[in-house]
Amino acid sequence: MSRSERLLDLVQTLRRHRRPVSGRALAAELGVSIRTLYRDIATLQGQGAPIEGEAGLGYVLKPGFFLPPLMLDDEQIEALVLGARWVAKQPDARLAEAASDLLAKVAAVLPPDLRETLDATALMVGPRAEAAEGIDLGAVRQAIRRERKLGFSYRDAGGARSARTVWPFALGFFDKVRVLVAWCETRQDFRHFRVDRIEELDVTEDRYPRRRQALLKEWRESQGIGQKAAARN
């Protein structure tokens, strides 16, 4: 276990105790020596963690303390690297560049031991997906964030074309296709559009009349996604 992981475990352990807990009890729970525990507590206090107490009296973590976002364990680093590497292989050029920049920024501020873990992560992603869509996915994502209507020509599975005006609120990334989830004004219902079948994209400045979060919630309910998650739990 790296030192960063050990410090993270110590903070999480202190969070579970609402009353002061002795150093020896903490050391036993964490599987470290009492000397190591005292040194780790001093390190956290030096980093601003509001840990009160002293040897012989016990220690307690004051409520409201949030862990620094880059105190990551090995599996969290692997999840971050794998996700960023996958995004970097997607045909959305701006998102791919952002994923690569993210890894570089994270590596620059991680402690040395965690930086080595990040660099040595052995989880790999397959070849870059071939870009099948002829529209700018970055523009679609921006329309979703700004809650703006999209207009486009859509070709269905049979080749028939139709003009659509939609309220975009989600974009699904799959191995070979991207799928836009939107409220369709033509069909007056939720629809899923394969991005590789969208042409003549027009990002308008017309704000659609409902909030994106509300549309997403209603769509999830219509798909039974919330009920499925609850059933799994």
Side-chain angles (χ1 to χ4, degrees):
M1 177 185 295
S2 69
R3 185 162 184 265
S4 297
E5 287 181 280
R6 199 173 67 240
L7 293 176
L8 175 62
D9 285 348
L10 174 54
V11 172
Q12 299 288 44
T13 300
L14 283 168
R15 275 182 165 165
R16 292 197 295 268
H17 295 277
R18 295 188 177 183
R19 298 181 181 278
V21 56
S22 72
R24 292 198 177 278
L26 286 170
E29 189 169 348
L30 293 167
V32 298
S33 69
I34 190 68
R35 182 178 179 181
T36 296
L37 178 83
Y38 289 152
R39 186 170 60 246
D40 288 348
I41 286 177
T43 298
L44 289 172
Q45 288 173 329
Q47 293 176 353
I51 300 174
E52 296 183 344
E54 58 185 71
L57 298 177
Y59 297 92
V60 64
L61 179 68
K62 292 177 64 176
F65 173 67
F66 293 94
L67 286 171
L70 292 178
M71 289 187 68
L72 308 174
D73 62 28
D74 288 342
E75 290 192 342
Q76 289 169 340
I77 288 178
E78 287 184 341
L80 172 66
V81 172
L82 183 61
R85 285 177 176 173
W86 185 85
V87 172
K89 293 292 184 71
Q90 296 305 303
D92 186 329
R94 279 184 279 180
L95 204 59
E97 183 179 357
S100 297
D101 289 345
L102 170 64
L103 283 181
K105 287 182 178 180
V106 169
V109 296
L110 280 174
D113 57 336
L114 291 184
R115 191 180 307 127
E116 290 178 6
T117 301
L118 184 146
D119 292 338
T121 297
L123 303 183
M124 309 301 292
V125 177
R128 177 185 294 273
E130 293 296 328
E133 39 273 346
I135 64 171
D136 183 358
L137 288 178
V140 174
R141 290 187 289 104
Q142 186 177 49
I144 292 173
R145 289 195 300 268
R146 298 178 62 217
E147 300 180 340
R148 296 299 191 265
K149 295 183 181 182
L150 292 177
F152 52 78
S153 172
Y154 190 69
R155 173 174 46 84
D156 66 18
R161 297 180 182 277
S162 59
R164 303 295 182 98
T165 299
V166 304
W167 309 349
F169 58 86
L171 187 61
F173 285 76
F174 299 90
D175 286 341
K176 296 183 179 180
V177 298
R178 268 53 61 192
V179 176
L180 175 67
V181 187
W183 174 267
C184 179
E185 291 187 353
T186 303
R187 300 291 187 256
Q188 287 295 295
D189 200 357
F190 294 114
R191 286 292 186 269
H192 307 121
F193 300 96
R194 280 183 47 157
V195 175
D196 58 323
R197 295 176 181 170
I198 293 176
E199 299 174 351
E200 301 172 15
L201 180 69
D202 177 27
V203 182
T204 77
E205 285 300 316
D206 296 334
R207 190 181 190 114
Y208 49 76
R210 299 185 60 193
R211 297 306 306 271
R212 174 168 54 92
Q213 293 87 343
L215 288 170
L216 183 60
K217 181 176 183 294
E218 187 176 330
W219 170 77
R220 287 179 180 275
E221 292 173 349
S222 73
Q223 302 296 306
I225 294 176
Q227 293 89 328
K228 292 175 182 178
R232 287 196 298 269
N233 293 335

